Amino acid sequence: MASVMDVALKPIERKVEEGIPLGIDDGLTLFRTPDVHSLGRMAKAAKIRKSGRKVFYVLNRYINSTNVCYAGCKFCSFAADEFKEKARVVRMTADEVFQKTLETGANFNQLHIVGGHDPRQLSLDYWLPLMRRVKERLPHVQLSLFTAAELEYMCKRHRMSFADMLAELKAAGLDNINGGGAEIFADRVRSQICPNKVGAENWLAIHEEAHRQGIASNATMLYGTIETLEERVDHLIRLRESQRRSPGYNAFIPLAFHPDGNELNDCGWTSGLDDIRMFAVARLMLDNFDHIKAYWMIQGLKVCQVALEFGADDMDGTHGSTDEELIYHSAGTQSGQYVDDREFRRLIQEAGFEPVRRNSTYEEFDWDWTPPELVPA
Ligand code: SF4
């Protein structure tokens, strides 16, 4: 590898090459270096050691099944008050979710659903029969459902422990927990931007319990609001420690804050430079995470393509073909709703990498793999 230009990066480069986990000061140096090219080279080398020239994507269906929520997170443009904002409410019945799941056929590997803290929807009565029904018709599709925030809410409503709740969901077919709800773990930030949702301790406890039960998960970080760089690095280190205690996270996904239509709009948009730094720092800090995901819906396809040079090795999924993504579309994203898998492959190949189709748990598939016939109803 070409030598780094910023001398402050040299000891960090040595640590990375020797497999020594980076500390808070290292993370801050990475965020602050003016030598973005060397940062990218270091992150890309770390990515190549993890996954070679592979860059992953998934054919999936993405659904936001309800936007009714009472948590009141200040960065959220998605949630709707069911009484005061009736026209904005999206609240699907289990039948509607099932029909949407099948709307584009059976050739996909993951069903990804997240929603708000909706008292009518976040219950086992709603989810267990729906999950079993999907698994019966589409046994090849992995269920990537809920965030730790939704799971904590559902545990409270049912007066159930995390372990018992997760065991019920796993028995009904839960394969993977989505990584949302982590925001920034630091109490200073959480108490200001999302005081009513799951705290850092329970977010980590739910994921760690899921991993112990054989349910995989991902992890996220919302950046670009009021957090400091120290709090970003602290978040990454807490995730790394969690992975060490109870392995099972597949991907880390940096989520750039979007300001339209929410109370934190004066924080503005993140910059492209901040975005690619975020991917690179995450790749270097999270030495025990296999994958760093550049989620095109959030940073946009073009930044995500550049992110592949800065340590990312995943571009997320096709999302189906209609208009179900509401979280980032409510907050001003300019990304569309659907990306053809041919477009993923083209962007990945153009960046010099090998596109690989995957499912939630990173089993690999040929690009033209098709599932067996739909199981008859
Ligand atoms: S971020 Fe999630 S928990 Fe918070 S208000 Fe929005 S939908 Fe509710």
Side-chain angles (χ1 to χ4, degrees):
M1 183 173 61
S3 191
V4 296
M5 306 280 285
D6 177 1
V7 289
L9 294 179
K10 284 196 181 289
I12 301 177
E13 186 182 37
R14 252 194 317 276
K15 277 191 189 175
V16 171
E17 283 171 1
E18 289 169 14
I20 299 169
L22 303 181
I24 282 264
D25 290 342
D26 299 321
L28 290 173
T29 302
L30 293 171
F31 268 122
R32 289 176 178 146
T33 179
D35 187 3
V36 180
H37 291 100
S38 297
L39 175 67
R41 274 200 300 276
M42 288 165 63
K44 184 176 174 185
K47 174 254 175 291
I48 299 277
R49 282 194 289 276
K50 287 276 184 197
S51 49
R53 302 211 68 79
K54 292 178 181 176
V55 171
F56 299 89
Y57 67 94
V58 59
L59 268 64
N60 67 350
R61 291 289 285 128
Y62 179 99
I63 300 172
N64 292 135
S65 53
T66 178
N67 64 354
V68 173
C69 187
Y70 290 92
C73 303
K74 292 202 171 129
F75 55 81
C76 181
S77 312
F78 161 72
D81 183 312
E82 63 180 311
F83 301 107
K84 296 183 190 151
E85 299 174 287
K86 286 190 175 139
R88 284 194 59 236
V89 166
V90 174
R91 186 184 245 165
M92 296 181 197
T93 64
D95 264 347
E96 286 168 337
V97 172
F98 185 70
Q99 294 312 328
K100 279 224 171 281
T101 300
L102 290 172
E103 205 169 73
T104 54
N107 190 9
F108 63 102
N109 298 97
Q110 176 197 66
L111 176 62
H112 180 137
I113 304 179
V114 285
H117 294 186
D118 182 347
R120 286 211 211 149
Q121 199 177 94
L122 273 181
S123 83
L124 292 177
D125 301 348
Y126 180 100
W127 283 102
L128 295 181
L130 173 59
M131 292 164 70
R132 289 191 201 107
R133 202 171 160 198
V134 173
K135 278 288 187 185
E136 273 165 26
R137 286 300 294 285
L138 302 162
H140 65 281
V141 169
Q142 288 186 319
L143 299 184
S144 192
L145 308 178
F146 315 116
T147 65
E150 290 164 78
L151 290 168
E152 190 207 42
Y153 179 89
M154 198 150 56
C155 287
K156 282 184 186 160
R157 290 197 68 223
H158 283 280
R159 313 265 192 287
M160 283 174 80
S161 68
F162 300 154
D164 289 348
M165 171 68 64
L166 288 163
E168 291 255 18
L169 293 169
K170 182 172 163 60
L174 182 65
D175 296 291
N176 186 67
I177 296 176
N178 298 311
E183 323 313 354
I184 286 277
F185 289 141
D187 286 342
R188 183 194 75 83
V189 179
R190 284 192 104 71
S191 63
Q192 292 183 63
I193 69 171
C194 53
N196 305 318
K197 88 193 296 182
V198 63
E201 209 171 290
N202 278 356
W203 191 99
L204 292 165
I206 288 168
H207 281 256
E208 289 175 25
E209 177 56 32
H211 299 167
R212 279 190 286 276
Q213 295 194 23
I215 302 166
S217 80
N218 291 324
T220 62
M221 175 170 85
L222 176 73
Y223 66 98
T225 65
I226 59 166
E227 83 284 356
T228 62
L229 292 180
E230 284 83 353
E231 285 160 340
R232 289 191 196 181
V233 178
D234 168 70
H235 186 97
L236 294 171
I237 289 176
R238 289 205 219 183
L239 283 176
R240 192 173 70 198
E241 287 167 356
S242 175
Q243 178 82 307
R244 212 154 271 144
R245 282 193 297 271
S246 181
Y249 298 101
N250 280 311
F252 172 72
I253 311 149
L255 305 176
F257 170 65
H258 281 41
D260 284 4
N262 61 59
E263 286 186 55
L264 296 184
N265 61 79
D266 56 355
C267 293
W269 296 84
T270 61
S271 68
L273 201 57
D274 194 14
D275 292 339
I276 58 172
R277 270 181 197 276
M278 193 60 245
F279 290 113
V281 177
R283 180 59 288 162
L284 292 165
M285 294 295 302
L286 293 175
D287 60 341
N288 57 3
F289 275 61
D290 284 344
H291 306 287
I292 303 294
K293 186 188 290 185
Y295 185 9
W296 63 272
M297 183 74 78
I298 293 166
Q299 284 93 353
L301 278 170
K302 292 177 184 179
V303 169
C304 288
Q305 190 188 30
V306 176
L308 304 182
E309 280 291 306
F310 283 75
D313 72 341
D314 193 298
M315 297 271 283
D316 196 62
T318 49
H319 274 210
S321 68
T322 47
D323 55 356
E324 285 89 13
E325 200 289 329
L326 300 174
I327 297 174
Y328 273 85
H329 284 85
S330 305
T333 185
Q334 298 301 304
S335 302
Q337 286 281 0
Y338 171 68
V339 176
D340 192 284
D341 55 319
R342 279 170 299 193
E343 180 66 356
F344 275 132
R345 290 199 297 277
R346 184 185 74 78
L347 292 171
I348 292 165
Q349 280 164 343
E350 191 183 83
F353 295 95
E354 177 201 344
V356 177
R357 178 177 172 180
R358 64 162 174 88
N359 60 10
S360 301
T361 51
Y362 285 81
E363 286 172 85
E364 297 178 14
F365 297 81
D366 290 337
W367 70 270
D368 58 352
W369 180 86
T370 49
E373 287 294 299
L374 208 63
V375 176

